[in-house]
Amino acid sequence: MPWQLIYTSAPRGLLSGQSGFCTVARSADLREALVQRLEQISSYHYLRVSEAATANRNPTIFAFRLLDLRGAKYYVLTRIQPCGLDFTARTNHLAHHLVFQADELAKLPSPAAILRLWPGWQASWQGEPRWLEELGAAEFAPATKFFLPARIWARLTGDGGRAAGLLESECVRGCYLVCPPGSEEQVLEMYCETLQLLNFNGQFPLRPWRHTFTAFLQAEDNPNDFQWRGCQENTPAYQQAVTRSAPLIPLRSVRVPANSLVKLAREEPKPPPASAPPASGPASPTPVASKNKLSIRKASAPPPVIGSVKVKTPVPAAKTGWRVINFSIHSATLASLGIFAAVLVVLLLIKHSANRPAGQGSPAPVSSPKLSSVVTPILKAPPSVTVSPETGQLNCLVGNGPTYILAVPNLNNFRLPIDSISAFQNLLHRYDRQDQGALPNDIRLEINTDHWDFPPGSLMRVGGRKPRQFSASLGASECVFDYADWLDGKGTSLAVRDNFDSATRAFSIHFGFSSPTNGDPFRLLIVSENNPPPPLPLAKQFVREGRQDLRASLEASMRDCLLTNFQLLAGRQWELQPFIKRKSNAAQSLYMNWPTEDQPAFGDELDFARIGRHLQARRDDLNRELDELNQPLKRPLGKLAGAAKDNLKSFLTFSPTQPSPGQFLVYLGEVKNSTATNSWMRQWRNRPDSDQPEEVSANLQELYELWIQKQPQDAALLTVTNKSVTTNYFFDTWRRLKDHFKEEELTHTQLENVQKRLVELGQVAYIGLFIVDPSQPGGGLEMIRFEER
């Protein structure tokens, strides 16, 4: 799989004697000529050098190039971003490159999707230079996402159909796209949406790799490296384009073409309708019940201590085994329908008999069958009535005032968005107006650690007044909110720092007041993204499977509690994710390894009925593809030639599991040997050991000519015309098996995986409520776990 190279400023490089900007890490087998070329495209131009220390307002580069070195082609993904100051206090940046070869692309998402979603991109470099280990194909599974309809195009330009405009010839030949300042990530996502149009059904994975691009063109870049060149006004690259009189296309001016891709961009492609099940069997296999049982939850590690106060963490109760969730139609429902139909038939027969006029030639009245004589199938006992959840379990989520949740990578130093927390704004304004040295005596602060819920907290002390800082402490632990920039109108967030234990998973501070006139109570819950607290266990009855959005999927009391008491900051959203249990007893997200085309849309994760219909339709399509691939292999050659053995009737009968080109030659030889001694086929001199196309072609042409000479009635069956080229069936089949054997294997694998996913739909062990970043799918923080209790 791909090679990597990381380039930045460091005291020591990977090669002896290197320092400053150099390669600090790379794959060991990367060619030296390619290393030099990658280093050449690793430069970075700061737009605002004065802000280099904070790396704000300087763009992140997302680029995809095709490099040609001595006849070898390399597909290069590049991510370059500013990273503050280096060890010499000068501006620094880091360039991270992924290099793919052509034979690796068929298993990958689009280049834009990897740039957008692959979690392995490095943002900074620490430690010693080193050689990098090889990446596997599974590393890029998080980058599989379906980007249609084109929502970013629609939001920024007013029409998602413009996503198809980048694929028109005037853009593919090379275009400068004028983008808003600071929009590099949005432009990259627009590229994701456009490239998805080229492979919306998953059948053409190579097409997205034909279009090179950059989300931010630099002056030192070669524009000819890219077909799509994102640039921003008043930047050096933009000025160069103006000087050269190059056409500049604002995003809103991208032409909407008149083709079918526009509809795909505006409307999410609908899955094909599920076909009717065959009469001989059910439409889908009965989901296999999960044999795994969850063990009793172990007590969590002792809670951390803040200052001298130790906060208690409640230990969840032990759980019973999981109930297997079956989302098919219940047999009791079928029984009810059968009895209803039987009663209806009886009543119609009675009415028909009563209304028929008596007379000569009239048939004898039909006697009404008794209800006891109606045959009904033996059915399972009806399921038990669903028990309403105990709403008292939600008391742990109800506190005095709303809770504002923020997920941060570092609990000791972060920024708190305050623009949506009016209660905190009012408090800081009032606090700032206090006389120097005076403290508000009506504020009551309580702190907890490692909790999502509301256990009793430890009382904190509001610190002495400092210039535009609000502080609180408990023992030796302190938390400081610096509101100077916010109060001066320089931003919408506060700088927060504390000295809590590094093992702390979360901390919450409840702001209470002596009377309602002094302020509105609220709670800040700051959670570590890298080490969050364990989820709260709640009853499975609080969620409803089969619904299509979060509100409908939550039971009313749970929905009201969640949406009333919790508000997410920094653009985070709620998401319900189903989980299954593996043989190792480890939980795994149901959709973790599912391909893009089978992933449910955001918010539809519990609509199992719709997902099942989509998978059944996919299974039917794959079966049809296999049937089409195998159709030529079903021709009854053995029967036509007079072979005596039943297993030689057709090639597919002879080799049902491994229809390889070599096996086809062996099969023809077996047919010959199974015919009568005086058969005409004995005249054919077969050479089953040859694999050279010229020899095989001549040998099979001899068989073809001999066969139609001896049995001319078979000529039409043994002649193949493909794209106006006529050839004999034998060589055409051998060549197809040689060229498309992998295609059949791939289709078989896809079919097995779809069947596996259908079974997994019935093996959901529990459902987690996650706090997710919509721009980073596949992750999130699990706050609540809904499970059988």
Side-chain angles (χ1 to χ4, degrees):
M1 286 304 286
W3 296 311
Q4 294 187 81
L5 185 144
I6 298 176
Y7 179 93
T8 190
S9 178
R12 189 166 68 88
L14 190 61
L15 300 182
S16 177
Q18 287 186 333
S19 181
F21 280 104
C22 56
T23 297
V24 295
R26 69 175 176 92
S27 302
D29 52 351
L30 195 61
R31 292 174 51 184
E32 290 302 322
L34 186 54
V35 170
Q36 295 177 11
R37 184 71 182 95
L38 294 176
E39 290 180 341
Q40 291 172 1
I41 60 175
S42 297
S43 60
Y44 183 81
H45 181 84
Y46 268 83
L47 295 182
R48 299 172 177 84
V49 178
S50 61
E51 299 182 35
T54 57
N56 288 335
R57 299 186 182 179
N58 285 294
T60 297
I61 310 298
F62 304 98
F64 166 48
R65 292 175 174 86
L66 179 59
L67 299 183
D68 193 331
L69 296 180
R70 300 172 186 172
K73 291 186 177 181
Y74 301 98
Y75 298 79
V76 180
L77 303 185
T78 300
R79 186 178 189 272
I80 310 177
Q81 74 171 65
C83 49
L85 304 179
D86 68 358
F87 64 101
T88 65
R90 289 178 291 186
T91 57
N92 192 13
H93 66 272
L94 183 142
H96 188 176
H97 305 277
L98 287 180
V99 183
F100 298 91
Q101 299 183 76
D103 58 353
E104 300 171 333
L105 306 182
K107 300 179 181 179
L108 297 171
S110 75
I114 296 176
L115 281 166
R116 183 72 182 89
L117 301 176
W118 183 53
W121 294 110
Q122 294 294 316
S124 60
W125 181 258
Q126 295 179 348
E128 293 298 313
R130 61 178 179 268
W131 300 101
L132 299 177
E133 297 180 358
E134 182 180 352
L135 294 174
E139 297 280 347
F140 300 98
T144 54
K145 174 187 174 182
F146 199 66
F147 289 93
L148 297 179
R151 294 184 177 90
I152 306 300
W153 275 99
R155 190 171 75 223
L156 294 186
T157 72
D159 189 347
R162 298 188 199 280
L166 286 191
L167 302 175
E168 295 297 287
S169 58
E170 62 264 28
C171 292
V172 171
R173 287 194 299 265
C175 63
Y176 290 84
L177 299 171
V178 183
C179 310
S183 62
E184 301 85 43
E185 290 193 2
Q186 292 175 313
V187 172
L188 178 62
E189 188 131 353
M190 296 168 83
Y191 291 159
C192 291
E193 294 172 347
T194 293
L195 295 178
Q196 185 80 73
L197 295 172
L198 298 173
N199 188 33
F200 67 90
N201 56 8
Q203 296 180 2
F204 307 104
L206 300 183
R207 290 182 179 177
W209 291 85
R210 300 173 183 172
H211 300 279
T212 55
F213 58 80
T214 178
F216 185 91
L217 186 67
Q218 298 194 99
E220 49 267 52
D221 290 333
N222 180 1
N224 294 326
D225 285 348
F226 312 107
Q227 295 171 337
W228 305 331
R229 307 154 192 156
C231 61
Q232 299 176 14
E233 290 185 349
N234 301 320
T235 60
Y238 177 87
Q239 297 298 340
Q240 289 180 358
V242 172
T243 302
R244 291 194 295 265
S245 299
L248 297 163
I249 306 175
L251 292 177
R252 286 183 172 272
S253 298
V254 174
R255 185 174 64 87
V256 179
N259 58 40
S260 59
L261 293 182
V262 173
K263 183 176 180 181
L264 291 175
R266 290 171 175 166
E267 304 173 10
E268 182 176 0
K270 302 297 190 297
S275 57
S280 59
S284 62
T286 303
V288 180
S290 172
K291 297 180 181 181
N292 297 325
K293 304 288 183 180
L294 285 183
S295 59
I296 296 176
R297 184 191 301 274
K298 296 181 180 180
S300 58
V305 178
I306 296 183
S308 59
V309 180
K310 190 172 183 179
V311 183
K312 296 183 179 180
T313 303
V315 179
K319 304 296 181 294
T320 60
W322 303 108
R323 179 190 65 182
V324 175
I325 306 171
N326 190 332
F327 300 98
S328 58
I329 299 175
H330 289 293
S331 56
T333 305
L334 296 176
S336 303
L337 292 174
I339 295 173
F340 172 76
V343 174
L344 183 61
V345 170
V346 171
L347 294 176
L348 289 175
L349 289 174
I350 294 173
K351 180 178 180 181
H352 180 72
S353 176
N355 293 337
R356 180 180 296 276
Q360 190 176 359
S362 298
V366 180
S367 59
S368 301
K370 297 180 180 179
L371 289 180
S372 59
S373 67
V374 177
V375 179
T376 57
I378 300 175
L379 302 171
K380 298 179 182 179
S384 57
V385 179
T386 302
V387 180
S388 299
E390 299 177 9
T391 57
Q393 298 175 29
L394 302 179
N395 291 338
C396 64
L397 297 174
V398 179
N400 186 17
T403 293
Y404 298 90
I405 302 179
L406 178 66
V408 296
N410 184 357
L411 287 179
N412 298 119
N413 195 348
F414 60 91
R415 298 197 69 87
L416 174 69
I418 195 175
D419 52 334
S420 58
I421 314 177
S422 58
F424 200 10
Q425 295 180 36
N426 295 335
L427 170 63
L428 293 178
H429 278 298
R430 187 161 57 90
Y431 179 81
D432 189 66
R433 289 194 298 266
Q434 298 287 330
D435 294 333
Q436 187 70 26
L439 291 176
N441 55 13
D442 59 341
I443 304 177
R444 179 181 176 86
L445 302 184
E446 293 179 276
I447 191 167
N448 275 294
T449 59
D450 300 338
H451 282 277
W452 290 104
D453 53 358
F454 290 88
S458 302
L459 191 61
M460 301 184 74
R461 182 176 62 86
V462 178
R465 192 175 186 282
K466 300 177 183 179
R468 298 192 170 185
Q469 287 185 354
F470 182 91
S471 63
S473 61
L474 178 62
S477 299
E478 184 182 35
C479 184
V480 178
F481 300 87
D482 188 337
Y483 60 89
D485 287 347
W486 168 75
L487 200 61
D488 291 338
K490 297 179 180 180
T492 59
S493 62
L494 310 179
V496 184
R497 64 180 185 275
D498 60 69
N499 59 351
F500 297 156
D501 191 323
S502 59
T504 303
R505 298 181 174 186
F507 72 86
S508 65
I509 299 179
H510 182 266
F511 290 75
F513 301 92
S514 58
S515 67
T517 58
N518 293 324
D520 298 319
F522 64 95
R523 183 175 73 135
L524 299 178
L525 174 55
I526 315 300
V527 184
S528 169
E529 290 179 326
N530 303 317
N531 186 30
L536 291 170
L538 288 179
K540 186 72 171 292
Q541 289 83 0
F542 282 112
V543 292
R544 302 171 177 177
E545 299 89 356
R547 307 305 172 92
Q548 294 187 15
D549 57 67
L550 178 85
R551 288 177 174 271
S553 298
L554 293 176
E555 187 271 338
S557 61
M558 179 72 237
R559 180 178 65 246
D560 294 343
C561 174
L562 184 71
L563 301 182
T564 301
N565 293 286
F566 293 90
Q567 297 186 36
L568 304 181
L569 302 177
R572 300 299 174 99
Q573 296 181 15
W574 299 108
E575 183 181 30
L576 290 167
Q577 297 181 14
F579 281 75
I580 57 176
K581 301 294 288 186
R582 293 299 187 190
K583 291 182 179 180
S584 62
N585 207 35
Q588 175 182 308
S589 174
L590 174 63
Y591 308 117
M592 173 177 289
N593 297 320
W594 287 29
T596 300
E597 62 267 23
D598 291 343
Q599 291 272 0
F602 184 82
D604 294 350
E605 291 80 8
L606 300 191
D607 193 358
F608 299 117
R610 179 182 177 185
I611 298 169
R613 290 193 299 269
H614 167 71
L615 291 175
Q616 290 173 16
R618 283 259 296 141
R619 181 189 59 189
D620 294 341
D621 289 342
L622 291 170
N623 278 322
R624 280 192 290 270
E625 289 180 21
L626 279 178
D627 187 62
E628 292 174 0
L629 289 172
N630 292 329
Q631 198 63 38
L633 312 182
K634 296 179 181 180
R635 297 188 181 182
L637 299 182
K639 181 179 179 181
L640 295 175
K645 297 180 180 180
D646 291 339
N647 71 318
L648 299 177
K649 177 181 177 181
S650 69
F651 176 50
L652 201 60
T653 306
F654 174 76
S655 184
T657 58
Q658 292 183 327
S660 64
Q663 280 291 98
F664 183 63
L665 298 179
V666 172
Y667 164 70
L668 294 176
E670 291 291 327
V671 170
K672 168 188 171 181
N673 296 334
S674 183
T675 58
T677 306
N678 60 350
S679 169
W680 58 266
M681 195 170 181
R682 295 278 182 162
Q683 302 174 28
W684 176 52
R685 295 172 297 177
N686 62 310
R687 293 185 288 274
D689 297 331
S690 176
D691 60 355
Q692 298 301 316
E694 296 80 6
E695 296 179 7
V696 174
S697 176
N699 188 228
L700 295 181
Q701 183 67 22
E702 292 175 8
L703 174 61
Y704 170 72
E705 293 174 353
L706 178 64
W707 196 310
I708 62 175
Q709 177 187 354
K710 299 299 183 180
Q711 296 186 181
Q713 69 275 13
D714 298 337
L717 188 66
L718 302 180
T719 303
V720 177
T721 301
N722 186 13
K723 296 181 180 179
S724 302
V725 177
T726 301
T727 184
N728 70 74
Y729 161 78
F730 304 107
F731 182 68
D732 181 78
T733 300
W734 179 86
R735 182 173 56 188
R736 190 184 64 79
L737 287 169
K738 186 176 181 65
D739 295 342
H740 301 290
F741 182 59
K742 289 186 178 181
E743 180 182 355
E744 187 170 3
E745 279 189 325
L746 177 62
T747 306
H748 268 295
T749 301
Q750 290 176 337
L751 184 60
E752 291 174 358
N753 290 335
V754 168
Q755 192 67 35
K756 178 183 176 183
R757 291 174 203 125
L758 277 167
V759 174
E760 288 176 343
L761 281 177
Q763 296 178 334
V764 175
Y766 64 83
I767 295 170
L769 178 66
F770 280 73
I771 298 171
V772 300
D773 182 351
S775 64
Q776 300 290 334
L781 306 178
E782 187 180 11
M783 176 182 174
I784 299 175
R785 181 169 297 182
F786 300 102
E787 51 194 3
E788 294 292 342
R789 306 192 71 174

